[in-house]
């Protein structure tokens, strides 16, 4: 069940990043509003280049594939040992990103509202939940 839930979350987030790569500003009303909601860096007034959002989406889908392979729900496309390493890298990345939401250093880098509040309420906890779900897949 953890693999399915994590995969669904990763796929939805990938879809949103693909949408941003194509210029969609949802859930905001403008690009500037979107930047304030999802980036949070002082002085940033434009979204990253479309290729960057698309690359994030591709990595999220790759993560979904890794989770499904390790859980036995998909076929491996590479040697299995690579998946064993990759899934723990994913756990570390999501745990670090989730934990960063509550540090002074991260807040100093990303002070713009509403990102700062949304990061503590939603983005950080979601990353921590993903770390837990993916670690369960890796362990069982």
């Amino acid at each position: 069940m953890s693999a399915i839930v994590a995969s669904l979350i990763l796929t939805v987030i990938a879809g949103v990043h693909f949408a941003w790569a194509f210029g969609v500003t949802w859930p905001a009303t403008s690009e500037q509003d979107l930047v304030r909601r999802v980036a949070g860096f002082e002085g940033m007034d434009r979204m990253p280049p479309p290729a960057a959002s698309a690359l994030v989406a591709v990595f999220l889908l790759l993560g979904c594939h890794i989770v499904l392979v390790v859980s036995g729900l998909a076929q491996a496309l590479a040697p299995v040992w690579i998946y064993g390493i990759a899934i723990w890298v994913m756990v570390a990345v999501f745990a670090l990103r989730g934990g960063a939401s509550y540090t002074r250093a991260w807040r100093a880098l990303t002070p713009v509202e509403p990102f700062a509040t949304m990061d503590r309420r939603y983005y950080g906890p979601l990353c921590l939940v993903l770390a837990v779900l993916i670690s369960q897949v890796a362990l069982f």
Side-chain angles (χ1 to χ4, degrees):
M1 187 58 111
S2 295
I4 293 169
V5 173
S7 295
L8 287 173
I9 293 169
L10 292 170
T11 301
V12 168
I13 297 170
V16 171
H17 280 79
F18 273 128
W20 293 340
F22 286 99
V24 175
T25 58
W26 181 88
T29 57
S30 67
E31 182 179 11
Q32 292 76 25
D33 185 38
L34 184 62
V35 169
R36 286 189 301 275
R37 289 173 179 263
V38 302
F41 294 100
E42 194 73 51
M44 187 173 180
D45 60 352
R46 296 191 54 86
M47 286 295 286
S53 290
L55 186 61
V56 170
V58 168
F59 277 118
L60 289 165
L61 290 177
L62 178 61
C64 179
H65 171 72
I66 291 165
V67 167
L68 292 174
V69 167
V70 171
S71 69
L73 296 172
Q75 277 297 99
L77 302 175
V80 176
W81 65 268
I82 292 174
Y83 291 90
I85 294 169
I87 199 154
W88 286 110
V89 169
M90 289 177 63
V91 170
V93 167
F94 282 113
L96 289 170
R97 173 56 186 90
S101 296
Y102 306 101
T103 66
R104 287 188 184 135
W106 181 249
R107 196 55 45 230
L109 285 173
T110 58
V112 175
E113 290 293 349
F115 175 83
T117 298
M118 294 174 75
D119 189 39
R120 286 186 304 273
R121 284 188 189 158
Y122 307 113
Y123 310 146
L126 180 60
C127 287
L128 294 172
V129 165
L130 281 166
V132 169
L133 290 170
I134 295 167
S135 67
Q136 289 175 337
V137 172
L139 291 170
F140 303 103

